[in-house]
């Protein structure tokens, strides 16, 4: 029974000892605890009892060695029992060593306590380790926060800012009130920087050594105080000549045989000396330093008197002095008190004389002249600035230099008043166009409708609606009288219409011309890709019943439309369509082509040349002229405008009219220069539309957002030696400014000197 009890105690002691060894076994084995157990009487009594128990255990151990216990009875083998005994013996020996250390060194503080576990065995409980940095390295920072490189912003929502080496939370330092901060800013401690340590959140203070280091760096001195920038030179190589050779090898033969190469070099030098190319050295002769004298030249040594020029004027002479300038003038020249007061109160420019006559008894009583220096200076200015040559002055009237413009009465006819008003649209009237016969006027507006009016009476003859969600931006009649076709740009779709207002013969010809493209598209397959991108189709049944025959959709809102003079081609401009902004449509083939795949600038308008296969494209700042047959860029005009709004080509083809949103009207002569020939500024707001008269009259007109139209006389002469003449004729007023918009588009009526305009006030006007 005693043996079983001892075995149980041994098992418990083994488990406890394993814990003790895992916690601080290395300290026990190395004797680092120093045995601080003799501090109190109770601990010494417990130690004596423990020593008595050890002696009894030694006697029992001798008895246990003779006993053999089966593993089946106790559950342990002999090896386990021996291992437990060895561990217990090591603990006892360590306890003895601890006792000895306690007797020898009893002055160090005890860092553990000895208690007993539940089985009555000894248990060493150590105190928490105080992490003290005892390194000799003074540059190592004292790190108390162990969060590493984690940003402190992660701890903004918590009351602590990290953890120390023991895993305890580091509380956030309390922030003082405004008064405390003010006192801290006034009483600055030594080493105060005003910064905050990001690892601790406390104010960052520098030591005296760090402050001294920063001061040295600021003064451009060496940071290390003991560093010597000029150390003594180390003689790595000796200057003594060794008498004994470093090698015992015999001298080679080449050192005793004369060198042929050296003989050749010597002969070359001898030859050069004989020829005189190399001269022996001669010491320089001593030269006496001569004093440097500045050369002097007499400019007037050869001066001869010259006769005066014919136009020479001699310098004006001063008049001789009068009696009033004498120091003792007669009494009649002396001023009285009233004259003195008037002279002193008058301005210097209004005084008759620059001095007052003064009477002195003798010449030695005359004081110094206070205006002497100023008078001589003014005299010098008179001599310097006075002309010395007679010049004939030209008496020319400035108005005679201006070109004589004809009177507006001599340039009639031109529009001067409103003859008819076309009122029917519910929104802005954005576009208009007069047919080639001059009988019908087509308008389009924000209400999505196209209306056709009788030009002379103002009666609405026909209209069609494309939907009020989008506005009709452009309408244009086909050029020529062989067909009656109207092209309409509604949002992104291009429609062709044959209004039922013409004769049956002309209507049938127009239908045949538009329907021929469907047959050509069905038989031709060469341009299948272009047809697939922009196919020409029939519109809806409702539009077909309204005489709308074809439609094609582009990739952007159409803002400009222009017909070719033959009537088979028309160009459209969609500024928002990027690379497919400019498109050329063939009416007879129902084909849409995109000639420009990489157009850098945003196009604003396009127009065909009246007689040549050229295409004018106006971008925001330039006007480019392309040859459609050769597919090349011919010329690039530089109007100098910030944003071009519209263009118009003269019927002769050599002049271009450009309107801009920055209130300028620019006339370009293609034969002169790429810069504008004339720049006209007559409007106070942006110019929306410009138009040349296409019927042979020398007129052009522009419309602006200020609600006015400017009519000009522009005469172009075929003679290249004479430039075009421009005369402003009339300012037409009638449109109201609505929403900061005025006149949106202008046009001419065939061969007559009439013009039409579309305004933002929802009305169209005819000016005659």
């Amino acid at each position: 029974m005693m043996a079983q009890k001892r075995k149980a105690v041994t098992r418990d002691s083994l488990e406890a000892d394993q814990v003790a060894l895992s916690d601080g076994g290395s300290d026990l084995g190395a004797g680092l605890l120093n045995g601080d157990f003799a501090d109190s009487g109770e601990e010494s009594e417990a130690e004596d009892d423990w020593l008595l128990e050890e002696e009894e255990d030694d006697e029992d151990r001798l008895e246990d060695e003779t006993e053999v216990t089966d593993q089946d009875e106790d559950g342990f083998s002999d090896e386990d029992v021996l291992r437990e005994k060895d561990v217990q013996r090591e603990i006892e020996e360590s306890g003895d060593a601890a006792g000895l250390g306690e007797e020898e060194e009893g002055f160090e503080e005890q860092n553990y306590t000895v208690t007993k576990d539940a089985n009555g065995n000894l248990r060493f409980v150590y105190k928490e380790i105080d992490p003290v940095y005892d390194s000799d390295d003074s540059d190592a920072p004292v790190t108390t926060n162990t969060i590493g490189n984690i940003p402190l912003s992660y701890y903004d929502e918590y009351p602590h800012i990290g953890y120390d080496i023991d895993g305890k939370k580091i509380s956030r330092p309390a922030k003082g009130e405004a008064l405390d901060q003010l006192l801290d800013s006034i009483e600055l401690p030594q080493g105060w920087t005003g910064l905050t340590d990001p690892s601790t959140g406390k104010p960052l203070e520098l030591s005296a050594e760090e402050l001294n280091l920063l001061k040295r760096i600021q003064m451009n001195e060496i940071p290390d105080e003991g560093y010597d920038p000029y150390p003594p030179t180390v003689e790595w190589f000796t200057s003594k000549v060794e008498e004994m050779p470093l090698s015992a090898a015999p001298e080679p033969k080449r050192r005793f045989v004369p060198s042929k190469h050296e003989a050749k070099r010597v002969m070359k030098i001898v030859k050069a000396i004989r020829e005189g190319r190399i001269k022996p050295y001669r010491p320089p002769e001593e030269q006496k330093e001569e004093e440097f004298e500045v050369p002097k030249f007499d400019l007037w040594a050869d001066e001869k008197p010259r006769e005066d020029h014919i136009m020479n004027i001699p310098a004006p002479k001063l008049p001789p002095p009068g009696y009033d300038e004498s120091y003792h003038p007669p009494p009649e020249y002396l001023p009285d008190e009233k004259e003195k007061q008037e002279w002193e109160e008058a301005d210097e420019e209004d005084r008759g004389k620059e001095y007052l006559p003064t009477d002195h008894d003798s010449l030695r009583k005359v004081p110094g002249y206070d205006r002497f220096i100023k008078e001589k200076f003014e005299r010098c200015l008179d001599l310097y600035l006075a002309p010395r040559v007679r010049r004939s002055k030209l008496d020319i009237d400035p108005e005679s230099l201006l070109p004589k413009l004809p009177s507006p009465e001599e340039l009639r006819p031109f529009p001067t008043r409103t003859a008819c008003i076309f009122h029917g649209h519910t929104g802005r009237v954005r576009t208009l166009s007069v047919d080639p016969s001059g009988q019908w006027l087509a308008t389009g507006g924000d209400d999505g409708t196209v209306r056709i009016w009788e030009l002379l009476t103002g009666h609405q003859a026909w209209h069609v609606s494309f939907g009020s969600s989008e506005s009709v931006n452009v309408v244009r009649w086909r050029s020529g009288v062989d067909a009656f076709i109207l092209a309409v740009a509604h949002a992104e779709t291009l429609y062709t219409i044959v209004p039922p207002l013409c004769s049956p013969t002309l209507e049938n010809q127009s239908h045949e011309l538009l329907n021929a493209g469907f047959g050509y598209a069905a038989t031709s397959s060469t341009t299948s890709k272009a047809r697939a991108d922009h196919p020409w189709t029939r519109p809806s049944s409702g539009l077909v019943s309204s005489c709308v025959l074809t439609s094609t959709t582009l990739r952007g809102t159409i803002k400009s439309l222009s017909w070719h003079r033959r009537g088979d081609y028309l160009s459209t401009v969609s500024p928002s369509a990027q690379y497919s902004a400019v498109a050329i449509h063939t009416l007879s083939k129902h084909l849409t082509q995109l000639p420009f795949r990489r157009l850098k600038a945003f196009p604003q308008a396009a127009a065909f040349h009246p007689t040549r296969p050229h295409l004018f494209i106006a971008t925001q700042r330039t006007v480019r002229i392309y040859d459609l047959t050769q597919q090349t860029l011919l010329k690039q005009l530089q109007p100098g405008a910030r944003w071009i709004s519209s263009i118009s080509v003269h019927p002769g083809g050599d002049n271009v009219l450009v309107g801009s949103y920055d209130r300028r009207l620019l006339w370009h002569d293609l034969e002169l220069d790429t810069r504008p020939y004339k720049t006209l500024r007559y409007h106070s707001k942006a110019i929306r539309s410009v138009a040349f008269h296409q019927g042979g009259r020398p007129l052009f007109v522009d419309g602006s957002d200020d609600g006015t139209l400017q009519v000009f006389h522009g005469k172009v002469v075929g003679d290249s030696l004479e430039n075009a003449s421009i005369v402003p004729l009339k300012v037409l007023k009638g449109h109201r400014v609505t929403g900061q918009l005025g006149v949106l588009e202008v046009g001419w009526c065939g061969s007559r000197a009439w013009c039409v305009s579309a305004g933002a006030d929802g009305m169209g006007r005819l000016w005659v």
Side-chain angles (χ1 to χ4, degrees), residues 435-438 478-484 503 506 509-510 565:
D435 74 314
S437 64
R478 178 184 177 274
S479 57
V481 295
D482 57 337
F484 192 69
S503 62
L506 188 60
Q509 293 178 0
S510 303
R565 66 182 185 280

Side-chain angles (χ1 to χ4, degrees), residues 426-548:
T426 57
R428 302 188 185 99
V429 181
R430 290 191 171 272
T431 179
L432 52 79
S433 178
V434 180
D435 74 314
S437 64
Q439 183 180 359
W440 306 101
L441 171 67
T443 59
D446 287 348
D447 54 359
T449 62
V450 174
R451 303 175 187 270
I452 299 179
W453 317 76
E454 289 185 4
L455 188 63
L456 298 179
T457 63
H459 171 68
Q460 180 178 326
W462 183 82
H463 78 280
V464 61
S465 177
F466 294 95
S468 59
S469 60
E470 298 288 344
S471 61
V472 176
N473 295 317
V474 191
V475 294
R476 290 290 183 272
W477 289 98
R478 178 184 177 274
S479 57
V481 295
D482 57 337
F484 192 69
I485 299 175
L486 178 65
V488 178
H490 177 258
E492 300 176 355
T493 308
L494 176 64
Y495 297 98
T496 56
I497 307 174
V498 180
L501 301 176
C502 58
S503 62
T505 304
L506 188 60
E507 185 176 354
N508 292 335
Q509 293 178 0
S510 303
H511 280 276
E512 291 176 359
L513 180 61
L514 292 176
N515 294 331
F518 290 106
Y520 183 86
T523 57
S524 177
S525 61
T526 56
T527 57
S528 59
K529 185 178 184 306
R531 299 182 189 279
D533 292 340
H534 305 284
W536 287 56
T537 59
R538 294 285 187 185
S540 62
S541 58
L543 294 178
V544 171
S545 62
S546 299
C547 301
V548 182

Side-chain angles (χ1 to χ4, degrees), residues 11 45 70 310 328 348 376 407 458 465 597 630 643 734:
R11 279 197 302 273
E45 292 177 3
D70 298 334
I310 301 175
H328 186 60
E348 293 184 1
K376 296 305 177 184
S407 174
S465 177
R597 290 290 183 180
Q630 299 181 1
W643 196 304

Side-chain angles (χ1 to χ4, degrees), residues 601-636:
F602 292 97
Q604 303 297 317
F608 287 99
H609 194 279
T611 57
R612 302 172 187 172
H614 297 169
L615 180 64
F616 295 80
I617 296 180
T619 61
Q620 288 185 357
R621 295 179 181 272
T622 61
V623 178
R624 302 182 180 184
I625 306 175
Y626 292 92
D627 190 342
L628 297 178
T629 56
Q630 299 181 1
Q631 299 181 2
T632 56
L633 177 64
L634 297 179
K635 187 177 292 186
Q636 183 173 353

